[in-house]
């Protein structure tokens, strides 16, 4: 199966200053550019908080991690909040191995404001 056809991002605004990006499918070299475009749009707007919900992401490779690191850089440059949630054990372990788990705001559960 082609991961590009299984990959989806649903944006859900929460008020005028916050958005949740619900990601579904593998976040990898084939799909991470799509998330990067959506996040770039979010950080170019008036949003103060961007949350990436990873409940439905079974696998992530280094391209997915790099895309999320880019989002972290954009958030720091803009002073906005960037939150990750819904990391499964293997994705959380990937962040631990990369020594990034303390760089990101990671919350349990899907949506938390």
């Amino acid at each position: 199966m082609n991961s590009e056809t299984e990959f989806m991002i649903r944006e859900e605004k929460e008020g005028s200053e916050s958005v949740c990006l619900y990601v579904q499918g593998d976040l990898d070299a084939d799909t991470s550019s799509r998330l990067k475009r959506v996040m770039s749009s979010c950080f170019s707007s008036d949003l103060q908080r961007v949350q990436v919900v990873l409940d439905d992401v079974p696998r992530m490779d280094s391209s997915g991690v790099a895309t999320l690191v880019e989002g972290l850089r954009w958030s720091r440059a803009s002073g906005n909040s960037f939150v990750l949630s819904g990391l499964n054990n293997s994705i959380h372990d990937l962040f631990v191995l990369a020594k990034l788990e303390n760089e990101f705001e990671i919350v349990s559960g899907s949506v938390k404001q």
Side-chain angles (χ1 to χ4, degrees):
M1 283 191 192
N2 181 344
S3 60
E4 185 73 23
T5 59
E6 301 170 3
F7 187 78
M8 294 183 353
I9 303 166
R10 179 173 50 92
E11 289 182 62
E12 199 170 289
K13 289 213 175 173
E14 300 187 344
S16 61
E17 296 181 349
S18 182
V19 67
C20 282
L21 304 177
Y22 293 89
V23 182
Q24 181 178 9
D26 293 347
L27 186 53
D28 56 23
D30 293 330
T31 60
S32 60
S33 63
R34 289 175 58 193
L35 179 59
K36 186 175 182 176
R37 282 192 301 271
V38 172
M39 287 190 317
S40 174
S41 172
C42 291
F43 285 110
S44 298
S45 68
D46 291 335
L47 295 168
Q48 298 298 309
R49 183 176 189 278
V50 176
Q51 180 169 342
V52 179
V53 181
L54 301 169
D55 287 329
D56 294 322
V57 176
R59 287 183 298 273
M60 181 185 303
D61 70 6
S62 59
S63 299
V65 173
T67 296
L68 294 173
V69 168
E70 186 73 18
L72 181 63
R73 279 192 219 131
W74 291 333
S75 73
R76 288 179 175 170
S78 64
N80 295 342
S81 174
F82 185 61
V83 179
L84 303 180
S85 65
L87 282 67
N88 65 34
N89 289 338
S90 64
I91 293 174
H92 185 266
D93 290 347
L94 186 60
F95 277 81
V96 170
L97 285 171
K99 298 184 180 185
L100 291 170
E101 77 276 14
N102 293 321
E103 296 298 318
F104 287 89
E105 181 180 349
I106 299 174
V107 298
S108 7
S110 293
V111 179
K112 183 176 180 180
Q113 281 197 287

